């Protein structure tokens, strides 16, 4: 099949930038346009709540590609402009400045927007959302010794912000409506361990708590703190709202593409094609069937954006797609690097390797979730290399020996080899 006459990528984040790179790497030489609503060149978002929030110098390292990359690869990068309409019949995209771009293939990598609390909308004095580089810059200016920071949301983003704020010398409180941290992402034992770790680091956790009202200063508009349903008031010099992501599907919905009714993402097939095969979608805005979950889902992760970018690039060029990897996530918080392999499920049995106190200087632990001996989910604290060694067991569906795994006195590599040998056909 002939190569596309032109390709337009809407969304200049992780997925869009990596897809543009993948297209050129696969040999596509035709017109390639990358459109971003932010004025900045494509950058990685994970550092926004960590390194970039700590240090302005880290902004340079967050760039996805060197500043010369787009010109060298003949990629037209259009920054600070929004795509307003997608005309499928004409195969055109209309931009906010009146520009109309024709496409043969279109890739939607539009990501999402931070969910807002009606009582604390964007633009409210002292209220911060952390989704963009400019958001991180605004919050960074508020983090100082003695500052009172209240984080609404005990998910990965909220906990990363809390950890960074504590490192800056701020006093931090975290409000989470669930009874434990990250109930949909972590096993209960690790969730309790992480809460204890956060508390040992200085964070004041308010679990199972809800905001009853906003205490305001004399002007009646500027928040002075948050009042919880328990009656407790948490004074605040800065309030960070981190309550999740709303997928950005405005273009797709208006164009009549199929939207997943359960998660709000653009529904795509295994090759990231939407209900219109000439329009693909990747990253936070895309809903794809996940065999390990048995349903469609949106995966909001750095790895997923990268992998789907490669799959979509191959699909647009009718090339063989890469094999899907086992899901992988990571976070840095409270002095720990936490790596996660796979996804949790309610029927998993967890076994822990290691026994570190939450307040230990350098804890090292792995929780392994299995179903009848088949590994499904792994969570490692400061043990990324160990979890990477175990990845082969997950990918091949190799049954494990949980008791042998829990024995931290025995080396991990021989245990992995023994599991593989036991599973090998006679």
């Amino acid at each position: 099949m002939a190569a596309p006459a032109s390709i337009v990528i809407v969304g200049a984040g992780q997925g869009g930038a990596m897809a543009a790179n993948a297209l050129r790497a696969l040999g596509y030489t035709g017109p390639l346009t990358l459109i971003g609503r932010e004025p900045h060149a494509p950058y990685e978002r994970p550092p926004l709540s960590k390194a970039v929030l700590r240090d302005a110098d880290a902004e340079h390292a967050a760039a996805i590609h060197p500043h010369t990359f787009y010109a060298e690869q003949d990629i037209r990068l259009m920054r600070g402009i929004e795509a307003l309409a997608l005309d499928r019949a004409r195969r055109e995209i209309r931009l906010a400045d009146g520009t109309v771009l024709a496409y043969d293939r279109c890739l939607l990598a539009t990501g999402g927007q931070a969910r807002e609390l009606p009582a604390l909308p964007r633009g409210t004095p002292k209220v911060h959302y952390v989704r963009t580089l400019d958001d991180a810059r605004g919050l960074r200016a508020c983090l100082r010794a003695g500052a009172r920071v209240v984080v609404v949301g005990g998910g990965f983003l909220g906990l990363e912000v809390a950890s960074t704020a504590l490192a800056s010398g701020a006093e931090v409180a975290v409000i989470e409506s669930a009874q434990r941290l990250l109930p949909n992402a972590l096993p209960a034992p690790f969730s309790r361990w992480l809460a204890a770790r956060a508390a040992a680091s200085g964070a004041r956790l308010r679990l199972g708590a809800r905001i009853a009202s906003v205490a305001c200063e004399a002007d009646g508009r500027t928040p002075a703190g948050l009042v919880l349903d328990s009656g407790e008031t948490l004074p605040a010099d800065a309030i960070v709202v981190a309550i999740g992501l709303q997928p950005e599907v405005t273009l797709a919905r208006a164009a009549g593409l199929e939207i997943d009714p359960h998660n709000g993402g653009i529904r795509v097939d295994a090759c990231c094609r939407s209900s219109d095969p000439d329009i693909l979608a990747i990253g936070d805005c895309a809903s794809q069937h996940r065999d390990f979950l048995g349903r469609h889902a949106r995966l909001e992760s750095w790895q997923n954006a990268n992998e789907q970018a490669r799959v979509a690039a191959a699909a647009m060029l009718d090339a063989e797609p890469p094999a899907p990897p086992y899901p992988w996530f990571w976070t840095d918080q409270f002095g720990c690097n936490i790596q996660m392999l796979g996804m949790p499920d309610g029927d998993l049995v967890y076994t822990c390797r290691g026994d570190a106190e939450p307040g230990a200087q350098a804890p090292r632990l792995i929780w392994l979730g299995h179903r009848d001996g088949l590994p499904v989910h792994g969570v490692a604290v400061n043990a990324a290399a160990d979890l990477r060694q175990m990845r082969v067991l997950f990918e091949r569906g190799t049954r494990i020996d949980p008791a042998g795994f829990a024995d931290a006195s025995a080396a991990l590599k021989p245990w992995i080899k023994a599991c593989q040998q036991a599973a090998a056909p006679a």
Side-chain angles (χ1 to χ4, degrees), residues 183 190 196 239 279:
F190 181 66
I239 299 172
I279 302 174

Side-chain angles (χ1 to χ4, degrees), residues 154 159 174 176 178-184 186 191 194-195 198 205 207:
L159 293 175
V174 178
E176 170 53 51
Q179 295 298 322
R180 64 180 179 89
L181 297 177
L182 295 156
N184 296 322
L186 298 175
S191 181
L194 184 59
L205 300 182
L207 302 178

Side-chain angles (χ1 to χ4, degrees), residues 233-257:
T233 297
L234 299 175
D237 299 307
I239 299 172
V240 182
V241 181
I243 56 172
L245 183 80
Q246 182 72 37
E248 178 50 75
V249 298
T250 306
L251 271 182
R253 191 185 298 277
L257 298 181

Side-chain angles (χ1 to χ4, degrees), residues 170-372:
E171 300 174 7
V172 179
V174 178
I175 303 169
E176 170 53 51
S177 60
Q179 295 298 322
R180 64 180 179 89
L181 297 177
L182 295 156
N184 296 322
L186 298 175
F190 181 66
S191 181
R192 291 191 291 269
W193 186 92
L194 184 59
R197 177 74 179 179
S201 300
R204 291 180 293 148
L205 300 182
R206 299 295 183 266
L207 302 178
R210 297 185 179 276
I211 300 171
S213 62
V214 179
C216 290
E217 296 181 1
D219 63 6
R221 178 172 179 265
T222 303
L226 298 179
V227 182
L228 304 183
D229 53 2
S230 65
E232 179 184 11
T233 297
L234 299 175
D237 299 307
I239 299 172
V240 182
V241 181
I243 56 172
L245 183 80
Q246 182 72 37
E248 178 50 75
V249 298
T250 306
L251 271 182
R253 191 185 298 277
L257 298 181
E258 184 179 0
I259 305 298
D260 193 307
H262 302 292
N263 58 49
I266 304 166
R267 202 169 176 108
V268 299
D269 65 12
C271 292
C272 298
R273 296 186 186 92
S274 74
S275 51
D276 182 329
D278 293 326
I279 302 174
L280 297 86
I282 62 173
D284 295 347
C285 71
S287 174
Q288 191 175 53
H289 189 271
R290 305 290 175 170
D291 291 341
F292 57 87
L293 293 175
R295 58 179 170 82
H296 273 71
R298 291 189 308 104
L299 295 187
E300 299 172 9
S301 77
W302 179 90
Q303 183 218 29
N304 181 61
N306 288 338
E307 297 300 336
Q308 285 191 327
R310 286 188 274 270
V311 170
M316 285 188 280
L317 302 180
D318 294 311
E320 187 69 24
Y326 212 83
W328 170 73
F329 309 85
W330 66 274
T331 178
D332 288 324
Q333 51 186 266
F334 308 114
C336 293
N337 172 254
I338 302 172
Q339 305 275 338
M340 290 152 282
L341 187 60
M343 300 284 286
D345 208 344
D347 65 342
L348 299 183
V349 176
Y350 283 86
T351 302
C352 183
R353 180 181 175 89
D355 183 21
E357 288 297 319
Q361 184 174 358
R364 186 181 177 89
L365 301 162
I366 302 180
W367 274 264
L368 178 60
H370 60 93
R371 182 183 294 115
D372 297 327

